[in-house]
Amino acid sequence: MSFSSFTKNELSRIPIKNKCCAKAELAAIVRMNGIIQINGKNRMSLKFATENAAIARRIFSLLKAMYNTDVDVMVRRNKQLKKNNNYLIVVRNTRSTKKILEDIGLIRTNGDDYFQVDYKIPQDIINKRCCKRSFIRGAFLGGGSISNPEKTYHLEFVTTNEEHGKELSDLINSFGLSSKIVLRKENFVIYLKEGEQIVDLLNIMGAHLALLKLEDIRVLKDVRNNINRIVNCETANLSKTIDASLRQIENIEYIDRIMGLEKLPKNLSDLAYLRLEHRDASLKELGAMLNPPVGKSGVNHRFRRIEEIADNLKKERGS
């Protein structure tokens, strides 16, 4: 099961406690996923299609709880590539359909044979904080998705209406979030990309199990990233130490071939012999072996003097 399906299944199991929140959730689902079908002059039906059985049950429960009307549920089995079944939820009664659409503010009727669709979110549906949360939850169930947090942080809502998209984005941002909206083909996509903000939105919608699961993944990813940074840093430092050691040994061996290490000042020759004996030792370790001991900066300074001597010899010999 994908993380998106896991989240939607959890949201679909949230108890329907009061009618105002049920109305707000249904209003969002209809705007995101509802299909108004006109059959003849005076007949109208409302349809929903989904591959998620939990969402199908949720829509059915909301309709029955709010309107107690006849609701047909049809299952179309998809045998190709073992895909999920398709669920179709239909309200066929024209009077019930009009009642639902008028209650959620999606249509304004003018007589029996004329109506106007309005995607604007009515303020009376979302005037309470709990109803705002329910509307966002319904929007996610109807047209939302969330990526696998193991790979990336991305949560989005897809709607075909620009005005509705902007209002939904504003509603999400009223909770202190910073969702953005972008046009993708013919759809308007409201999205969040920051892990912390996605966690906050899951909490707003009531997906607490998904929230905990995402937080566990975030912690593991942070630990993994920190370990990788430490390993990369140590690897880089080790590479620098090895490169510096090879360069120091090369300079020392060149000086030994051309003039002999014994002709170096004693403090430099002592360090040169130590480096040849302990090729993998760090500057700090070499400094501790000297008598008297010398700090890391002092050892580094002596190696710079050895390098200058080697460079001068190369210049004199034209090599």
Side-chain angles (χ1 to χ4, degrees), residues 24-293:
E25 186 174 327
L26 182 61
I29 293 175
V30 173
R31 282 170 170 78
M32 299 294 282
N33 191 27
I35 302 169
I36 303 172
Q37 185 169 347
I38 308 299
N39 304 307
K41 185 176 180 181
N42 296 316
R43 296 175 60 194
M44 179 188 300
S45 60
L46 178 61
K47 295 184 178 182
F48 305 87
T50 179
E51 292 184 352
N52 190 310
I55 295 177
R57 287 193 298 269
R58 183 68 169 187
I59 296 172
F60 179 86
S61 299
L62 287 168
L63 291 170
K64 295 297 287 185
M66 290 290 294
Y67 299 98
N68 194 28
T69 186
D70 292 335
V71 182
D72 295 338
V73 179
M74 290 168 280
V75 182
R76 295 177 181 172
R77 300 192 179 278
N78 193 335
K79 296 181 181 179
Q80 293 181 345
L81 302 177
K82 297 182 179 179
K83 289 184 178 179
N84 295 331
N85 295 329
N86 292 317
Y87 299 89
L88 186 64
I89 304 97
V90 185
V91 179
R92 299 190 186 278
N93 184 277
T94 298
R95 183 175 295 180
S96 296
T97 298
K98 286 184 177 180
K99 172 66 174 169
I100 293 167
L101 298 177
E102 287 174 353
D103 282 355
I104 65 173
L106 187 61
I107 67 169
R108 295 194 300 272
T109 58
N110 183 10
D112 293 332
D113 57 355
Y114 173 78
F115 68 89
Q116 182 178 359
V117 177
D118 185 1
Y119 276 90
K120 187 175 182 179
I121 306 172
Q123 287 303 308
D124 62 318
I125 289 181
I126 54 169
N127 59 355
K128 297 180 182 178
R129 185 176 178 84
C130 61
C131 295
K132 291 180 180 179
R133 296 173 62 165
S134 296
F135 190 94
I136 295 172
R137 178 168 62 246
F140 185 78
L141 290 173
S145 65
I146 181 170
S147 299
N148 181 357
E150 289 276 7
K151 298 178 181 178
T152 184
Y153 299 128
H154 184 87
L155 185 149
E156 68 179 32
F157 303 78
V158 180
T159 180
T160 57
N161 185 273
E162 182 177 9
E163 182 181 21
H164 178 233
K166 289 179 179 178
E167 288 196 340
L168 179 57
S169 178
D170 290 340
L171 180 59
I172 292 169
N173 294 344
S174 70
F175 287 88
L177 304 179
S178 55
S179 68
K180 294 179 175 59
I181 185 168
V182 65
L183 179 64
R184 183 192 297 161
K185 295 182 179 178
E186 296 180 356
N187 296 316
F188 297 89
V189 181
I190 304 95
Y191 67 92
L192 291 168
K193 280 187 170 294
E194 295 181 14
E196 187 174 345
Q197 295 218 358
I198 292 175
V199 166
D200 289 341
L201 187 59
L202 290 175
N203 183 48
I204 290 166
M205 294 189 296
H208 300 123
L209 292 178
L211 183 157
L212 292 173
K213 192 173 181 179
L214 191 148
E215 283 287 49
D216 286 344
I217 293 172
R218 285 183 70 203
V219 170
L220 288 174
K221 286 177 73 173
D222 286 343
V223 171
R224 192 183 302 126
N225 290 337
N226 286 334
I227 291 173
N228 288 337
R229 278 194 291 269
I230 292 171
V231 170
N232 291 338
C233 183
E234 290 182 349
T235 301
N237 289 337
L238 182 59
S239 297
K240 286 166 127 185
T241 300
I242 293 172
D243 291 343
S245 176
L246 291 174
R247 189 172 64 254
Q248 293 157 6
I249 291 170
E250 181 183 342
N251 290 332
I252 291 168
E253 289 178 342
Y254 183 80
I255 293 172
D256 191 27
R257 286 197 308 272
I258 302 305
M259 57 177 278
L261 295 180
E262 66 278 358
K263 293 184 180 179
L264 290 173
K266 188 173 185 310
N267 62 340
L268 300 184
S269 63
D270 288 347
L271 181 60
Y273 286 122
L274 270 178
R275 171 49 85 197
L276 293 177
E277 293 175 13
H278 306 279
R279 299 186 175 223
D280 297 330
S282 65
L283 297 183
K284 185 177 181 180
E285 291 169 338
L286 289 173
M289 297 177 194
L290 291 170
N291 187 18

